[in-house]
Amino acid sequence: MPFRVILPKDKNCDRFTASLKIISLFLFLASISFVLYSSFVRHDLWFRCSECPDPSTTSFTPAWDYNSTAPDDSLSPTNISHIVFGIGGSARTWKDRKHYSQLWWRPNITRGFVWLDEEPDPNSTWADASPPYRISSDWKKFKFTSSQSAVRISRVVVDSFRVGLPNARWFVMGDDDTVFFTENLVTVLAKYDYREMYYIGENSESVEQNVMHAYDMAFGGGGFAISYPLAAELVRIMDGCLNRYFNFYGSDQRVWACVGELGVSLTRERGFHQIDIRDNPFGLLAAHPVTPLVSLHHLDDVHPLFPKQSQLESLRILTEAYKVDPARTMQQCFCYYHKYKWSISVSWAYAVQIYPWFLSARDLETPLQTFQTWRSWSNGPFTFNTRPMSSEPCEQPLIFYLDSIKEDEKSKKVVTTYKMSPIKQEKKCNQPNYAFAIEKIVVSSLKMDPHKWEKVPRRQCCEASKGFWSTTMKVKIRNCKHRETITM
């Protein structure tokens, strides 16, 4: 018979024993909770960022679970080093399209990669002026109906994120025939808090394209920007999401759908240009909206920006002028020469138009329809207003294109000269006083402060003058005065 000691019952002892059991049960449950928490939640989820909320004092918990380097811990404004470019390309087309990227890529300054479907030709040398390349990962395992390459390019943001470049705040996607204006891109992105989930871009110019795809989608050729936290979330869900939307047409539509599953909508910036138009882009670009020029796409499918030049030559002219005054590039301003009742419209570093009659400000800021829709080659509709280009030569403006640019570094004054279009109108219009005596237009301006775009945008004003016998018209661009209006 086992030996037992039977103690007399004591009420205080019973209470102590009951308390001990409760405490033991509490500790047991707490231990189980901690083990379960440790199994499913990593302790290094919160990226090291001094401006970001402290996880110990906020209920927000980041959802990403990756080892990529997160945004840096400085309070510095966003600059070009914080942007990672992901360019969708292919080994087959890169030879014919690389010159577009070489126009804007700055080795050792811009960061990112061209993502290819396979290794490029081993017999050719990869140019130092081009972005470095990488091979897309795991893209052949997904379902598709339209294009397998669209699946691959939709994963550029995932591949770019997983590279883990340090201090990445934004991932900017584009095609291998997209031209970016990087200083203006920085100006636009710097307005937004990169610690939040942002999806920034613009839709198509042609309504038929938006109807077919989506109005609230950033069209990929024009480029779009994904903030770091949103990119991290996309990495988490992208593979499953691609199979859910296998029937979609393009890569940008797939990205849009996946972003939508995260509850993030498009933030529109009108400086991203898909150029979903045909024929001559002059009317669109000569009346650029009051916003920085960020990108141009589909340039192989429209007339060269400058007549009698190739598209590549045209872009070199534009980008060289852009380097002098990035913030002002293609910004429109207009004024009147009252002596002859002329209306003058300037698209800086691109073209100047003279209308030998008074035209309202509302008409001057509305693009001339020198182009047609992307898919059906029809006269509209577009996502903006247009005004018709008359077939009568005497009812068309005289157009002067950029010829030269000169900068005075001391005064920060920039002088651009524009010469009459080589496509002559004089033989077609016999109206007297049709401004044919003007041979060139000289436009002067101070360099535009990019911080001006941080304020409410306002179109600048100008003044036009001409000597009695002179064949040169002078235009001075300046800030509008208090209470000044642009009135005929």
Side-chain angles (χ1 to χ4, degrees), residues 392-409:
E392 292 294 326
C394 294
E395 296 176 2
Q396 298 174 2
L398 270 73
I399 301 174
F400 299 74
Y401 287 97
L402 179 68
D403 180 67
S404 66
I405 183 167
K406 183 172 65 174
E407 176 187 8
D408 186 338
E409 294 184 0

Side-chain angles (χ1 to χ4, degrees), residues 204-206 208-209 274-278 297-298 301-302 372-378 382:
S204 172
E205 293 85 356
S206 291
E208 60 192 19
Q209 287 289 90
Q274 175 75 3
I275 312 292
D276 269 351
I277 55 177
R278 303 285 186 173
H297 179 50
H298 276 160
D301 299 288
V302 292
Q372 296 174 304
T373 60
W374 173 256
R375 186 169 295 275
S376 62
W377 292 69
S378 59
F382 302 97

Side-chain angles (χ1 to χ4, degrees), residues 89-153:
S90 75
R92 182 177 57 84
T93 63
W94 179 251
K95 179 181 177 181
D96 297 323
R97 291 185 168 186
K98 63 183 179 181
H99 52 268
Y100 285 121
S101 295
Q102 291 172 353
L103 283 168
W104 61 269
W105 186 260
R106 298 163 67 190
N108 302 318
I109 296 177
T110 41
R111 300 194 301 167
F113 306 94
V114 176
W115 292 92
L116 302 179
D117 48 352
E118 59 185 2
E119 287 288 340
D121 184 356
N123 297 319
S124 62
T125 303
W126 193 267
D128 293 336
S130 296
Y133 76 88
R134 291 207 174 194
I135 308 302
S136 299
S137 66
D138 299 332
W139 56 283
K140 294 185 178 180
K141 65 181 182 180
F142 298 97
K143 295 188 294 183
F144 68 96
T145 56
S146 60
S147 167
Q148 194 171 24
S149 65
V151 177
R152 180 178 68 84
I153 294 173

Side-chain angles (χ1 to χ4, degrees), residues 68 84-88 113 115 136-137 150-164 170-174 198-199 224-239 242 251 254-256 258-259 262:
S68 299
V84 176
F85 290 93
I87 307 302
F113 306 94
W115 292 92
S136 299
S137 66
V151 177
R152 180 178 68 84
I153 294 173
S154 66
R155 299 184 76 255
V156 164
V157 62
V158 173
D159 286 334
S160 298
F161 184 93
R162 286 177 172 165
V163 172
W170 296 94
F171 295 86
V172 174
M173 308 301 116
Y198 274 107
Y199 167 53
F224 58 86
I226 300 286
S227 63
Y228 184 95
L230 180 55
E233 287 293 299
L234 283 174
V235 171
R236 183 175 64 87
I237 71 166
M238 180 65 83
D239 286 2
L242 288 178
S251 59
R254 288 171 166 85
V255 173
W256 162 75
C258 297
V259 168
L262 294 168

Side-chain angles (χ1 to χ4, degrees), residues 308-343:
K308 305 295 185 180
Q309 305 282 349
S310 69
Q311 193 65 283
L312 181 57
E313 291 168 338
S314 296
L315 288 166
R316 284 174 177 159
I317 294 171
L318 179 64
T319 52
E320 286 302 310
Y322 157 80
K323 293 174 184 177
V324 176
D325 195 351
R328 190 183 295 282
T329 302
M330 278 196 180
Q331 290 308 301
Q332 185 193 25
C333 68
F334 36 79
C335 48
Y336 302 100
Y337 187 53
H338 290 276
K339 183 175 181 180
Y340 292 144
K341 298 182 179 180
W342 291 350
S343 304

